[in-house]
């Protein structure tokens, strides 16, 4: 899809075999060794980073063979969106995904406290400075600033229920974790802990926190998920008002 936009893959490297689906499924063959590239060399651009990995970081496995969670893969997918649409990644998502959900405030965040957006929280963490990352470069794998309400607006457009028309067909949602009865996706970087969850194919919920437990990020996430799930399942009757 990107051709040689970032240089030609080394002969015999198998990198020319990586597909969009491999990137979506985290089966590109790259791993975070020696470090997660999205959190390294924060002074270089997206293009420079992609060019460097294409030339210098070998694949650990053949594309499609092994699943390994890779932020970098979604950074590349952002560039695919730009190539196909002729729009910036951020503007495409705002126009074609967020706007149909009624979401108007989500945007790619800044990297410093001075770049904090209106109504954006301040991030805290004793072990690591949350303002030492290149957030803009993370755009398509973790650079968005959003409220829990706006993420909930997105959730109801991918829940395979008829109350709100989904953004894409259920047949396209089913092959991903969106097709499961129960799923949750956690995310965290320094200064944030987040959960998006679908519970019993009936409830969707979002939790955002402005800190994380550095030694084990799942500590706070597991506690938040278990507490919220227990409270939701304990409710017998829910209001019928459409809060959106």
């Amino acid at each position: 899809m990107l051709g040689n936009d970032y240089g030609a893959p080394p002969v015999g490297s198998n990198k020319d075999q990586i597909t969009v689906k491999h990137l979506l499924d985290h089966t590109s063959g790259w791993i975070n060794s020696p470090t997660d590239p999205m959190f390294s060399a924060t002074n270089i651009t997206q293009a420079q980073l992609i060019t460097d990995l294409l030339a210098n970081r070998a694949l650990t496995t053949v594309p499609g063979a092994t699943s390994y969670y890779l932020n970098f893969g979604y950074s590349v997918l952002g560039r695919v969106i730009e190539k196909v649409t002729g729009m910036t990644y951020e503007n495409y998502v705002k126009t074609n995904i967020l706007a149909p959900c009624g979401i108007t405030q989500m945007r790619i965040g800044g990297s410093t406290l001075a770049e904090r957006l209106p109504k954006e929280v301040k991030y805290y963490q004793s072990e690591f400075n949350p303002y030492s990352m290149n957030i803009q470069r993370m755009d398509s794998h973790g650079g968005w600033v959003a409220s829990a309400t706006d993420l909930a607006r997105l959730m109801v457009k991918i829940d395979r229920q008829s109350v709100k028309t989904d953004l894409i067909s259920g047949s396209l949602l089913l092959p991903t974790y969106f097709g499961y009865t129960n799923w949750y996706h956690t995310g965290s970087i320094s200064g944030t802990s987040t959960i998006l969850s679908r519970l019993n194919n009936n409830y969707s919920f979002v939790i955002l926190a402005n800190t994380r437990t550095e030694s084990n990020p799942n500590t706070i996430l597991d506690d938040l998920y278990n507490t919220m799930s227990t409270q939701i399942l304990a409710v017998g009757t829910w209001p019928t008002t459409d809060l959106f």
Side-chain angles (χ1 to χ4, degrees):
M1 186 65 69
L2 294 175
N4 291 336
D5 290 0
Y6 299 94
V11 175
S13 67
N14 288 325
K15 294 174 186 176
D16 58 339
Q17 303 301 311
I18 299 172
T19 67
V20 167
K21 190 173 190 306
H22 292 150
L23 296 172
L24 286 168
D25 293 343
H26 299 280
T27 59
S28 67
W30 269 307
I31 64 173
N32 295 328
S33 179
T35 58
D36 185 331
M38 299 311 303
F39 296 91
S40 306
T42 56
N43 59 314
I44 66 175
T45 66
Q46 287 173 335
Q48 290 171 326
L49 184 66
I50 295 172
T51 298
D52 178 62
L53 261 74
L54 192 62
N56 300 314
R57 182 172 292 197
L59 301 182
T60 300
T61 60
V62 174
T66 305
S67 178
Y68 184 96
Y69 194 90
L70 187 77
N71 291 310
F72 175 72
Y74 274 69
S75 179
V76 176
L77 286 169
R79 314 298 61 88
V80 171
I81 290 172
E82 292 176 335
K83 180 75 175 286
V84 171
T85 66
M87 301 172 66
T88 66
Y89 163 77
E90 182 177 13
N91 284 341
Y92 178 82
V93 172
K94 284 180 177 179
T95 302
N96 294 279
I97 298 176
L98 301 183
C101 297
I103 299 170
T104 61
Q105 299 300 309
M106 278 180 62
R107 61 195 64 185
I108 302 299
S111 299
T112 67
L113 183 59
E115 294 174 307
R116 183 167 51 160
L117 297 169
K119 299 182 180 180
E120 183 181 3
V121 300
K122 183 177 180 180
Y123 305 103
Y124 297 91
Q125 190 167 321
S126 59
E127 306 96 332
F128 193 88
N129 177 14
Y131 296 99
S132 63
M133 297 172 287
N134 190 337
I135 300 299
Q136 291 95 333
R137 197 180 71 184
M138 295 180 189
D139 60 359
S140 52
H141 83 79
W144 288 96
V145 174
S147 68
T149 301
D150 278 345
L151 289 175
R153 290 180 187 274
L154 177 62
M155 291 281 282
V156 300
K157 301 290 279 186
I158 56 171
D159 63 5
R160 297 176 289 107
Q161 304 297 315
S162 60
V163 178
K164 301 280 186 180
T165 303
D166 286 339
L167 289 171
I168 60 177
S169 69
S171 62
L172 292 176
L173 291 167
L174 285 172
T176 70
Y177 57 79
F178 299 121
Y180 288 99
T181 298
N182 290 288
W183 62 262
Y184 74 103
H185 194 292
T186 61
S188 72
I189 57 176
S190 296
T192 65
S193 299
T194 64
I195 300 171
L196 273 71
S197 179
R198 184 74 177 155
L199 184 63
N200 287 1
N201 210 35
N202 198 30
Y203 308 104
S204 297
F205 67 86
V206 179
I207 301 174
L208 307 179
N210 60 335
T211 191
R212 82 167 178 178
T213 44
E214 180 69 21
S215 59
N216 183 359
N218 288 331
T219 299
I220 188 171
L221 290 169
D222 289 345
D223 285 348
L224 288 170
Y225 176 79
N226 291 333
T227 299
M228 181 64 77
S229 299
T230 299
Q231 293 302 312
I232 287 174
L233 295 176
V235 175
T237 304
W238 292 89
T240 58
T241 305
D242 185 349
L243 296 177
F244 294 149

